[in-house]
Amino acid sequence: MHPIIETKNLSKSFKQFKAVSDLSFTINHGDIYGFLGQNGAGKSTTMRMLLGLIFPDSGSIYIDGEEFNNGRRHLLSKIGAIIERPDMYGYLSGWDNLKMFAALSDSSIKANRLHEVLEIVGLKGREHDKVKAYSQGMKQRLGIAIALVHKPDLLILDEPTNGLDPQGIAEMRALILSLSRDHGKTILISSHLLYEIEQVATSMIIIHKGKKVVEGKVNSLLNPDETFIEIDILPDDHILQKINASEWKPSLGSIKQETLTFKMNPERTPQLNCWLVGQGVGVTEIRSKHSLEAYFLSLTDDTVITNRAL
Amino acid sequence: MRKYISLLVIMLTLVSHRVRADDATQLFYTLRTKIATVKDYRADVRMKIDVSFMRIPQLKGTLLFKAPDKMRLERNGGLSMLPKKNINLTISNLIPVGNVTVIDIGNVTVKGKKLRLVKVIPEDDMNNIVLTKLWIDEANLVAVRAETTTRNDGTVIMDLDFNKYMSFGLPDKVTIYMDVKDYKLPKGVTMDYNNEVPVAPKDAKPKAQKGTIEINYLSYAINTGLTDAQFNK
Amino acid sequence: MIQLLRIELYKIFRRPRTYISFGIVTAITFVIQLAMLTDGKGFVNFALSGVNEQFDIQGNILNGYLITYIILQSLLIHIPLLVALVAGDALAGEANLGTLRLLLTKPISRPKIVMAKFLSSFIYTVLLIVWLAVVALFFSLLLFGKGDMINLKSDSFIMILQNDVMWRYGLAFAFAVLAMTTIASMSLLLSAFADNSIGPIISTMGIVVVLTILSNLELPLFTIIKPYLFTTHMIGWKGFFDDPVPYAAIGKSAVVLFLYTIGFLLLTIVYFNKKDIKS
């Protein structure tokens, strides 16, 4: 079976700016594929290329093994997408928007299918309100309904939690998981927040300045043993000897002034804390951060990720 | 002796001329009286106005006339279009009123017809008409052509064809040749669609052109007593 | 394609803005009719002063046919704006709204989308002109009655008998549809370039105004380019009120407008087919 999406050496420049550069990745059927990168890293440009909205300067895109340019029309009918904001015709009702886009995807779609997708995204009962009266979350849901209505194999969701409140984010996450689990969709989801990807994705890619940084299975990329535990302590001249003499020696990464960094599974943090306290070390603060996240943060402006509860 | 003969000849010539002039004056007054017997009429007409800057289709209608100078074209809801009243479509307006001096030019032959040509000059200096030349068919006592020079409206020539209404001195067909001033509106106002008709270079001043009006009278109802009110609708 | 066209028409006619155009046409028509009711005699006397010196014109000069002509003359300059409101918005408006990217991820080719946008703009244009014909002609005849129509050109005076007018209006309105379709296709092209609809609407008006001025300037330089400007040919509808009707010139104008329309449309398709959608 062909991967549902395969790109080879995709590149795209806008005037002098290289938006995407030599990008290759593969998405397999059934994946929830996380597309991670800071704002401006090239996520949207890549997704737009996958949908034929933007034409690559070089490289190729295969959908189900077929070159995209050769079968644009029927390949697009296998894809449902929300790119950036879920923008609709505000002067029409949710139902009218859905009906219209459904007809554009597949003219044989019947009304009961529309009811079905409205049920899936949880918009039932509000479908006849004008879209301009919808909340951001409702627009997202309608966007997903439109993306789903023609039964595509692949959903491309660009930052689907953008602008949602915490409850909306949680509901969206549940919806994405359900679409994958219950409806068998392959989903490509982008975000600039690692933890968002981490919570739903099975595979992921991180891109930075248009280039691939890393790609792989989430559970191997986010191996808990790769977590950094940072511990701030009161000054202690003998701390290095104490650690070197203990079972924690292999885990120690670095000591910088009053900050110890260990690389280990965060489940062992309480034991480490106990041991330090037992050694008479004054622990003032403990932070944990996955190595990938630490790396990702080092790429990004760290203000981006502050809303994560640590 | 030869002197006397010469004198006699001169005197005779003068006398005969005098006689002929009196004759012509008489002819003119008789003609004018005949024309004046028509106080009013209502006539079915076909009118064709042919002026270079005007494009007007043949107009069918009823022409109403009341002496001395009232005229109106009724067209059943359509527009009435007549020359300004100084140049009336009826011959009565092309001949001077009041006392006149008539000069006899003599007989001329036009299109095989023998006609008497007279010049009529009004004695009243204030009259709009300066001079009228009339070509008169003496046998039928009708003027078949009038050429009137006016103070304000240029020269108007009228040709008249008679047939059925000859006895009333009313023509079946009248052709009027008149001077018309050129007409121009600024292009910015009209926003013309230029259909690529080559435009001849034009003088800045409006220049005089000839216009023709041709009227065919199909039938007359004469002296039915039209009221003034019928001309002021 | 029919489905796509139906959807485009649905979008146009479900939008309140669309009806503003019809409202504007109605309002301007009524304003002109009102002005003519109160002040028409003076207007006619002014316009006819050159003829009135020599001819005495009586009857219902200020009739419905003449009023309709006056309305067309003043309104057809502004109708491009109303056409641009829809055609200029067709692509740019969707780009601005953000719906364009959703639309283009549907399995429909871009040339088809452009064609549907063009055809829907065309249908809107036809309806707008038909509406104009109804309010201008019908209400003018109702208010001012029938009569022979006079038409003043800069160097001639034309009179058309009342039973000879209607077919001219039929053809004139058909010609107006063609002229406005040219505007629609130009607006659509500008719309393909832009990501918000104000640009194409204003550009359309700007181009029409500037070219109309050039078309009317009596300067040797402009005389050379004049036959190539579509604005020169847009007033071809007036030809039907000439006598004789200059069919050859009108036909040529129609061909020029048609070629411009096709040209604009093809450019739109070619450009839009390769455009990166970044909105």
Side-chain angles (χ1 to χ4, degrees):
Chain A
M1 197 180 199
H2 290 289
I4 192 153
I5 289 182
E6 192 177 8
T7 74
K8 286 180 180 164
N9 312 102
L10 276 186
S11 292
K12 177 72 185 178
S13 298
F14 298 113
K15 297 193 178 126
Q16 300 301 312
F17 174 67
K18 253 187 158 346
V20 173
S21 160
D22 207 23
L23 186 64
S24 303
F25 61 92
T26 305
I27 304 176
N28 290 308
H29 282 273
D31 274 352
I32 298 181
Y33 190 88
F35 210 74
L36 185 65
Q38 61 191 106
N39 292 327
K43 303 187 297 287
S44 268
T45 303
T46 307
M47 291 181 142
R48 281 165 190 255
M49 287 194 282
L50 295 178
L51 290 163
L53 291 174
I54 285 179
F55 300 95
D57 295 336
S58 61
S60 36
I61 298 167
Y62 298 88
I63 304 220
D64 258 346
E66 195 175 339
E67 163 88 69
F68 183 78
N69 289 336
N70 296 342
R72 184 180 173 273
R73 268 193 64 179
H74 82 266
L75 293 177
L76 276 176
S77 63
K78 295 183 180 185
I79 306 176
I82 303 180
I83 295 295
E84 282 178 25
R85 290 152 286 125
D87 292 316
M88 317 284 169
Y89 303 99
Y91 55 91
L92 298 177
S93 68
W95 178 265
D96 291 336
N97 270 285
L98 178 61
K99 193 173 145 191
M100 209 163 69
F101 282 113
L104 290 175
S105 295
D106 177 357
S107 53
S108 66
I109 291 173
K110 300 278 188 300
N112 56 6
R113 174 64 186 162
L114 306 188
H115 287 296
E116 209 172 285
V117 287
L118 286 169
E119 195 76 59
I120 294 172
V121 298
L123 261 187
K124 211 80 190 58
R126 297 295 305 277
E127 68 265 35
H128 293 298
D129 295 359
K130 287 235 158 62
V131 165
K132 63 183 166 205
Y134 278 16
S135 70
Q136 191 62 24
M138 290 167 74
K139 284 186 192 166
Q140 281 292 8
R141 286 159 187 278
L142 182 59
I144 290 182
I146 290 170
L148 271 180
V149 72
H150 55 291
K151 300 186 177 172
D153 301 331
L154 173 67
L155 286 177
I156 294 182
L157 307 176
D158 188 7
E159 308 252 3
T161 56
N162 247 9
L164 299 187
D165 57 19
Q167 193 198 339
I169 292 173
E171 287 171 0
M172 183 58 64
R173 192 183 302 139
L175 178 59
I176 290 167
L177 288 170
S178 143
L179 287 173
S180 165
R181 194 178 54 235
D182 307 330
H183 300 274
K185 305 294 179 197
T186 306
I187 299 168
L188 168 58
I189 176 172
S190 77
S191 178
H192 58 278
L193 303 173
L194 173 64
Y195 74 92
E196 235 175 33
I197 299 291
E198 174 187 336
Q199 281 168 332
V200 294
T202 54
S203 297
M204 64 184 286
I205 185 171
I206 297 178
I207 65 167
H208 182 61
K209 290 186 175 165
K211 289 195 175 111
K212 175 159 80 178
V213 174
V214 64
E215 183 189 14
K217 293 275 178 205
V218 168
N219 52 19
S220 63
L221 287 176
L222 290 175
N223 180 352
D225 294 343
E226 299 283 311
T227 307
F228 289 121
I229 309 292
E230 288 180 351
I231 301 172
D232 291 347
I233 54 167
L234 297 173
D236 188 327
D237 295 340
H238 308 290
I239 186 67
L240 186 60
Q241 289 131 314
K242 287 173 186 169
I243 293 171
N244 280 341
S246 72
E247 56 172 317
W248 302 103
K249 187 185 174 214
S251 307
L252 183 63
S254 64
I255 298 179
K256 252 186 236 159
Q257 286 159 343
E258 277 74 51
T259 301
L260 314 172
T261 305
F262 294 88
K263 193 175 179 184
M264 59 182 211
N265 193 317
E267 284 173 8
R268 294 171 65 212
T269 310
Q271 289 146 269
L272 176 60
N273 189 24
C274 267
W275 178 80
L276 283 168
V277 172
Q279 293 295 316
V281 178
V283 174
T284 57
E285 192 177 338
I286 301 176
R287 296 178 299 271
S288 78
K289 199 179 277 176
H290 192 271
S291 59
L292 190 67
E293 187 181 356
Y295 178 70
F296 183 61
L297 274 179
S298 75
L299 298 175
T300 59
D301 183 352
D302 39 14
T303 53
V304 174
I305 230 158
T306 47
N307 59 344
R308 183 183 182 189
L310 288 166
Chain B
M1 186 66 195
R2 193 179 268 179
K3 218 189 240 174
Y4 290 103
I5 291 170
S6 302
L7 199 66
L8 191 66
V9 169
I10 291 169
M11 279 183 69
L12 276 172
T13 313
L14 276 175
V15 167
S16 82
H17 192 263
R18 183 78 216 170
V19 167
R20 279 183 58 105
D22 286 345
D23 183 19
T25 305
Q26 195 54 48
L27 178 62
F28 170 74
Y29 283 119
T30 313
L31 177 67
R32 197 165 78 175
T33 310
K34 182 181 177 187
I35 289 169
T37 58
V38 176
K39 299 287 176 219
D40 65 52
Y41 64 74
R42 172 195 287 273
D44 284 336
V45 294
R46 301 277 180 276
M47 186 161 109
K48 185 88 194 82
I49 300 177
D50 188 4
V51 175
S52 68
F53 70 82
M54 294 177 115
R55 267 161 280 157
I56 297 168
Q58 189 192 55
L59 302 178
K60 298 176 187 175
T62 307
L63 192 65
L64 275 60
F65 166 75
K66 184 167 189 275
D69 62 358
K70 282 200 162 52
M71 188 160 259
R72 177 184 159 82
L73 180 66
E74 274 189 353
R75 292 198 42 251
N76 194 22
L79 294 180
S80 157
M81 178 127 199
L82 294 171
K84 278 279 183 196
K85 64 180 173 192
N86 290 336
I87 314 163
N88 212 310
L89 301 178
T90 301
I91 192 161
S92 63
N93 274 75
L94 291 179
I95 52 180
V97 291
N99 291 334
V100 295
T101 306
V102 177
I103 301 166
D104 188 11
I105 306 297
N107 289 332
V108 290
T109 305
V110 177
K111 289 179 195 163
K113 238 182 169 176
K114 212 185 99 190
L115 299 172
R116 183 83 169 269
L117 175 58
V118 298
K119 282 187 186 178
V120 185
I121 302 160
E123 287 176 359
D124 174 10
D125 284 347
M126 299 309 288
N127 204 309
N128 185 34
I129 294 171
V130 178
L131 167 72
T132 299
K133 283 198 235 171
L134 289 172
W135 284 258
I136 301 167
D137 175 350
E138 285 182 89
N140 295 307
L141 195 61
V142 287
V144 298
R145 167 172 264 219
E147 185 182 317
T148 298
T149 306
T150 64
R151 222 173 277 281
N152 302 319
D153 303 298
T155 298
V156 182
I157 298 169
M158 182 184 272
D159 279 341
L160 303 97
D161 289 347
F162 293 89
N163 193 358
K164 284 183 279 182
Y165 297 91
M166 177 99 83
S167 54
F168 296 95
L170 291 172
D172 283 29
K173 183 184 168 192
V174 170
T175 312
I176 298 155
Y177 308 89
M178 56 194 263
D179 292 338
V180 272
K181 266 183 259 165
D182 204 359
Y183 148 99
K184 205 153 175 53
L185 277 176
K187 274 206 168 124
V189 173
T190 55
M191 284 182 295
D192 283 358
Y193 172 58
N194 278 329
N195 42 33
E196 291 171 9
V197 174
V199 183
K202 280 188 178 161
D203 302 334
K205 280 185 200 165
K207 58 182 176 188
Q209 302 180 337
K210 285 286 172 197
T212 310
I213 300 174
E214 195 180 292
I215 306 171
N216 283 291
Y217 290 83
L218 305 183
S219 67
Y220 284 98
I222 301 152
N223 294 344
T224 55
L226 294 177
T227 61
D228 286 357
Q230 282 170 282
F231 293 87
N232 296 324
K233 279 180 195 165
Chain C
M1 188 65 205
I2 302 268
Q3 173 82 327
L4 191 57
L5 180 58
R6 263 172 47 197
I7 285 171
E8 286 304 325
L9 288 172
Y10 178 75
K11 285 193 282 199
I12 289 175
F13 289 101
R14 280 293 299 275
R15 196 167 49 172
R17 179 205 287 194
T18 304
Y19 298 95
I20 294 175
S21 302
F22 289 86
I24 289 172
V25 167
T26 315
I28 295 179
T29 304
F30 283 153
V31 165
I32 296 175
Q33 285 166 342
L34 194 70
M36 284 297 151
L37 268 181
T38 56
D39 213 17
K41 288 273 183 281
F43 175 80
V44 163
N45 285 339
F46 167 73
L48 285 178
S49 53
V51 181
N52 268 345
E53 270 177 37
Q54 319 180 50
F55 284 89
D56 186 23
I57 307 171
Q58 284 186 3
N60 187 16
I61 302 172
L62 200 64
N63 56 55
Y65 295 126
L66 179 62
I67 300 286
T68 305
Y69 191 87
I70 292 166
I71 291 169
L72 281 195
Q73 164 127 325
S74 43
L75 205 53
L76 280 178
I77 300 170
H78 305 291
I79 285 202
L81 175 67
L82 305 181
V83 170
L85 275 181
V86 165
D89 186 67
L91 292 165
E94 295 229 29
N96 187 36
L97 199 59
T99 45
L100 187 62
R101 41 175 205 274
L102 189 49
L103 186 63
L104 294 184
T105 55
K106 297 292 146 193
I108 308 151
S109 74
R110 289 194 191 185
K112 265 194 184 168
I113 287 174
V114 173
M115 275 311 291
K117 296 272 184 198
F118 171 73
L119 288 176
S120 58
S121 302
F122 169 73
I123 290 170
Y124 161 83
T125 305
V126 171
L127 292 176
L128 199 61
I129 299 286
V130 167
W131 178 248
L132 171 65
V134 169
V135 289
L137 204 48
F138 180 77
F139 286 104
S140 295
L141 286 175
L142 202 70
L143 289 169
F144 297 89
K146 284 186 177 183
D148 298 328
M149 183 180 157
I150 55 171
N151 175 20
L152 296 171
K153 290 180 69 181
S154 71
D155 55 358
S156 52
F157 170 99
I158 296 146
M159 180 169 162
I160 300 162
L161 296 182
Q162 51 183 321
N163 55 13
D164 196 32
V165 174
M166 262 323 216
W167 67 272
R168 296 174 194 262
Y169 270 117
L171 290 173
F173 281 116
F175 192 93
V177 165
L178 175 62
M180 290 307 131
T181 303
T182 308
I183 298 293
S185 66
M186 182 180 75
S187 246
L188 189 64
L189 174 63
L190 295 170
S191 187
F193 292 141
D195 284 340
N196 74 71
S197 44
I198 301 300
I201 293 169
I202 291 179
S203 314
T204 302
M205 275 323 279
I207 290 170
V208 170
V209 167
V210 169
L211 294 187
T212 303
I213 291 170
L214 293 187
S215 286
N216 283 310
L217 274 184
E218 301 280 328
L219 294 173
L221 174 66
F222 297 123
T223 316
I224 299 164
I225 57 168
K226 221 183 255 187
Y228 305 101
L229 301 177
F230 62 86
T231 43
T232 312
H233 301 281
M234 274 172 60
I235 50 169
W237 62 273
K238 288 186 173 184
F240 293 111
F241 298 93
D242 211 338
D243 184 41
V245 175
Y247 284 108
I250 294 174
K252 199 179 145 208
S253 289
V255 168
V256 170
L257 290 173
F258 182 76
L259 290 179
Y260 263 106
T261 305
I262 297 296
F264 285 138
L265 185 59
L266 284 178
L267 267 177
T268 310
I269 289 173
V270 167
Y271 174 78
F272 191 70
N273 205 31
K274 283 284 153 215
K275 189 189 182 185
D276 284 332
I277 307 300
K278 290 184 274 186
S279 59

